Amino acid sequence: MWILSRYADIVSAGQDWQTYSSASGNLMTELPGRAGATLGSSDPPKHDRLRGLIQHAFMKRHLLDLEEPIRDIAKQVFGQLKGVKEFDFKDVSSQFTVKVLMAALGLPMGDEAIVPEQEVRDNAVMMVQSDARTRAKGPEHIAAYNWMQEYASKVIAMRKAEPRNDLISNFALAEIDGDRLDDREVLLTTTTLIMAGVESLGGFLMMFAYNLATFDEARRAVVANPDLLPDAIEESLRFNTSAQRFRRRLMKDVTIHGQTMKEGDFVCLAYGSGNRDERQYPNPDVYDISRKPRGHLGFGGGVHACLGTAIARLAVKIAFDEFHKIVPNYRRTADQLPWMPSSTFRSPLVLNLTVQSP
């Protein structure tokens, strides 16, 4: 497999879907049945059709309608930390992630829940992992993917029977000029969004907390002035994105930097490397919340730019606004951390923080 590590090369490849195809799967270790069938693993014109219908569903779920429920969730989850002196941030961030995702997508919660919230999260995280030694999907990862498809199919059936103002209801009923998603497309879209939502939001919350717990000056600045949170979020997406790399397959020979990549070869788009390219970002290894890193690759790019960026940005901002009201001063307790065994995503499995005096 070839690796594109420079920012300009990655951006160019992301825009050139005719050459760098996603139809053979976009995850570094792909799940069965996804290649060519989902928004992230298809090319135009199929991709454009799927994106149009899914975007139509997103537009019907107004972002402002989610702000109050997300803040209520944040207050409930991070309020548990009052008086606590040491904790694993993952314990609270995972609760927040699943509750926000359930609220946004319309997954059954509370008395309506068909499985425990934590079970949804655990299977979503397991889906994106790989064997730490072989870097391939093992039986436990495939089992989690199958579990998620079964769960999603039950939720879709519930929402088709009684539609609501949520994303899954909108996916099932989305229509543009008479065109609708078929049952398999609704199922794969829902399964992928649960997986991507849990890992992308959960992973980014962990990475943002990791950065603020590491760089005291940045943390103190955003605690003193929460209006700086959006800039700190963008710099964190550049500095330490949880979505590190995705793959494409070449539809023709490509010569770049004196090397010829052959038609059919797989190519890794190393977003994390591109975000640290000194040609694009001066002093790239410095976490600088005043940087305003336009065009970063934290949410991908090109035709496959993430659809959920607005919800993710809103959720992370609200989460840390409420978190800092309860725990304004904190640091990591360990220098070395265990990291998720995944070829695509990167985030700590544990992030123990200790509360400090002002």
Side-chain angles (χ1 to χ4, degrees):
M1 179 180 288
W2 299 90
I3 299 175
L4 297 184
S5 60
R6 297 184 183 183
Y7 178 90
D9 294 337
I10 296 167
V11 170
S12 178
Q15 294 170 342
D16 184 7
W17 60 266
Q18 295 96 333
T19 303
Y20 296 87
S21 171
S22 298
S24 294
N26 65 333
L27 299 178
M28 296 297 291
T29 48
E30 192 52 84
L31 290 158
R34 280 190 78 251
T38 69
L39 184 62
S41 63
S42 61
D43 296 325
K46 181 173 185 175
H47 167 275
D48 293 347
R49 170 184 169 271
L50 287 173
R51 191 177 184 93
L53 287 165
I54 294 168
Q55 207 158 23
H56 184 69
F58 266 88
M59 289 171 65
K60 290 184 70 176
R61 186 66 166 112
H62 298 301
L63 194 62
L64 290 177
D65 293 343
L66 288 172
E67 186 166 353
E68 186 176 343
I70 290 174
R71 192 167 294 278
D72 289 342
I73 291 168
K75 288 178 178 178
Q76 173 203 340
V77 170
F78 295 110
Q80 299 172 93
L81 298 176
K82 286 181 180 177
V84 174
K85 298 301 181 186
E86 187 172 320
F87 58 96
D88 181 358
F89 185 78
K90 187 149 198 171
D91 289 342
V92 284
S93 67
S94 63
Q95 292 179 47
F96 176 79
T97 298
V98 174
K99 289 178 184 296
V100 167
L101 190 71
M102 287 185 154
L105 288 178
L107 302 178
M109 303 170 64
D111 294 339
E112 190 189 37
I114 54 179
V115 297
E117 292 177 13
Q118 191 62 30
E119 196 169 346
V120 178
R121 183 201 170 275
D122 290 345
N123 279 281
V125 170
M126 182 61 69
M127 285 166 61
V128 303
Q129 294 186 8
S130 304
D131 185 275
R133 184 178 59 84
T134 65
R135 298 293 179 185
K137 296 292 185 192
E140 66 274 30
H141 309 114
I142 304 303
Y145 179 56
N146 291 335
W147 182 96
M148 191 61 73
Q149 287 198 315
E150 291 179 13
Y151 170 68
S153 66
K154 292 175 183 176
V155 176
I156 292 165
M158 291 172 66
R159 294 297 176 253
K160 280 187 172 180
E162 295 183 28
R164 300 180 180 181
N165 181 26
D166 58 48
L167 286 175
I168 293 179
S169 297
N170 293 343
F171 293 148
L173 303 173
E175 182 175 323
I176 298 177
D177 296 331
D179 186 21
R180 297 175 63 169
L181 296 171
D182 63 32
D183 290 345
R184 182 166 180 267
E185 289 169 339
V186 173
L187 175 61
L188 287 172
T189 295
T190 303
T191 303
T192 298
L193 280 171
I194 296 172
M195 173 192 74
V198 167
E199 177 44 42
S200 297
L201 179 56
F204 182 56
L205 285 164
M206 290 289 282
M207 295 305 290
F208 192 31
Y210 171 86
N211 290 333
L212 293 181
T214 303
F215 302 106
D216 288 344
E217 186 176 344
R219 175 183 51 76
R220 285 193 291 266
V222 298
V223 169
N225 182 6
D227 289 343
L228 296 176
L229 273 171
D231 287 342
I233 288 169
E234 296 309 309
E235 173 66 348
S236 197
L237 283 163
R238 180 204 69 84
F239 185 77
N240 247 344
T241 180
S242 57
Q244 282 286 307
R245 59 194 72 85
F246 288 83
R247 75 176 187 181
R248 301 290 187 267
R249 193 168 199 166
L250 289 175
M251 296 293 99
K252 64 182 180 182
D253 292 358
V254 174
T255 298
I256 186 171
H257 305 306
Q259 299 291 323
T260 298
M261 305 182 291
K262 296 292 186 180
E263 178 183 346
D265 287 351
F266 280 104
V267 179
C268 166
L269 306 185
Y271 294 145
S273 174
N275 278 334
R276 296 283 190 103
D277 188 344
E278 67 278 6
R279 303 167 191 83
Q280 182 68 19
Y281 301 109
N283 300 316
D285 296 329
V286 174
Y287 181 64
D288 178 5
I289 65 171
S290 66
R291 183 188 298 270
K292 299 185 186 298
R294 292 174 60 86
H296 67 71
L297 302 169
F299 284 126
V303 297
H304 288 289
C306 177
L307 264 179
T309 56
I311 292 176
R313 285 183 168 107
L314 176 68
V316 173
K317 180 182 180 298
I318 291 173
F320 278 83
D321 188 22
E322 296 300 328
F323 172 52
H324 287 156
K325 291 175 183 176
I326 306 297
V327 185
N329 300 295
Y330 52 92
R331 280 189 64 82
R332 286 163 40 202
T333 61
D335 291 330
Q336 298 296 318
L337 301 176
W339 294 85
M340 175 186 290
S342 171
S343 299
T344 300
F345 300 98
R346 179 177 185 265
S347 62
L349 290 171
V350 175
L351 184 58
N352 288 321
L353 301 177
T354 183
V355 179
Q356 296 183 306
S357 301

